[in-house]
Amino acid sequence: MKSKKKRDALAELEKELLLNPERLKEKKKKKRRKIAAMVLLETAVLVVMVCMIVQIVRAVGKNSLLGKAQTAPELTPVIASQPLSEEEEEKWQQGWVKYKEKIYAYNEDIMTFLVMGIDKNSDVKEVEEGTNGGQADALFLAVMNPHSKSISVIGINRNTMTDIDIYNEEGAYVNTVKAQIAVQHGFGNGMEESCEYQKKAVQKLFYNLPIHGYAAVNMSAIPAVNDAVGGVDVTVLEDLTKIDKSLKQGEEVHLEGQNAFWYVKYRDTGIFGSADMRLERQKQYLTAFINAAKGAVKDNLSVAIGLYQEIAAQMVTDISLDEVSYLTPILVDYGFESDSFRMVEGESVMGEEFEEFWMDEEALYELIIDVFYEEVTAG
């Protein structure tokens, strides 16, 4: 039966082709247009679905980040507050601070991230409890301010003397002592536990500053991170030819691969103040890197996600891919200037065994107000 119907349909098609070829051509055109319309419709639906998924992922990432930290720093108890006028007392709100006759409120829309460079040249791995987690030789706070659409970076000297929590080989808390902040990461398991210890130390240093996420990256990842943005241009600040012949002081160099690794990581521990000099190089490098990264991401938003996945084996982070997807397109439109990189001021001295950096408390206080707070205007 089916075979007969097929033969009849074929005969009818041949008949129409002979008697009315123009009509047959028109039918074929309509059929092609209908197929094309269906393809376009399906493509449009697919694009809409992808856009919706991207927006959902970004929304999840945004909510996740904002939910990680909601309180303001605790500045008031640290430095004696100035007396308030009657009018100020009537309008006073929790979290405000008065400093040098001005009132400031914490910018709750700011997002702050702790970036740690760990002195390990391998993939991350869990270690036994003790002091083998690796020291945080590089510590930076990256601050995103949506009100000014700007990025600020605060560099923390690895020798900064602060409260460090000591844990024994069973992971039990033992004591709190004054020591270089970089050693805090060494306690714990070298993974999330060590990162949480380091995050806590930095938060205490900054008067319990909210931190929305962290990334601890082993130094061995520097070449991949550097090359992902096409390399970084610098004028070499100090002579490093003993470790890399291309790193001659005063030379303009396009850092690639191992060049970037040595420029960011190396210091001569036999020279007093070598950590300070390296921090200056890291400041210079990160300033150039951020602008190079912004350009690379602007050309291709997938660069950030690709880099995240590439260095995953050398990184411990609590920042998810959802959160990266939310942050990446925003960062493209945020400004970052050379003066956006701030350093915690203080003095380096030689301790009994190691160098020590003692912060200027008032300078730190003013830095926190300047970066994280906004003046409360009258009205």
Side-chain angles (χ1 to χ4, degrees), residues 63 85 165 174 313 348:
N63 292 334
S85 66
D165 292 336
V174 175
S348 288

Side-chain angles (χ1 to χ4, degrees), residues 285-334:
Y285 175 83
L286 279 176
T287 300
F289 174 83
I290 289 172
N291 285 316
K294 286 182 60 187
V297 171
K298 189 173 184 178
D299 292 336
N300 182 2
L301 288 176
S302 68
V303 167
I305 293 175
L307 178 58
Y308 180 100
Q309 294 170 329
E310 183 177 351
I311 67 171
Q314 297 163 292
M315 173 176 66
V316 179
T317 182
D318 66 348
I319 304 170
S320 67
L321 270 175
D322 292 342
E323 293 165 347
V324 172
S325 297
Y326 165 69
L327 293 170
T328 301
I330 293 176
L331 289 172
V332 174
D333 297 324
Y334 275 48

Side-chain angles (χ1 to χ4, degrees), residues 226-244:
N226 178 85
D227 295 354
V229 300
V232 171
D233 295 320
V234 298
T235 300
V236 179
L237 294 180
E238 62 177 304
D239 189 83
L240 301 174
T241 52
K242 66 168 66 175
I243 196 69
D244 188 315

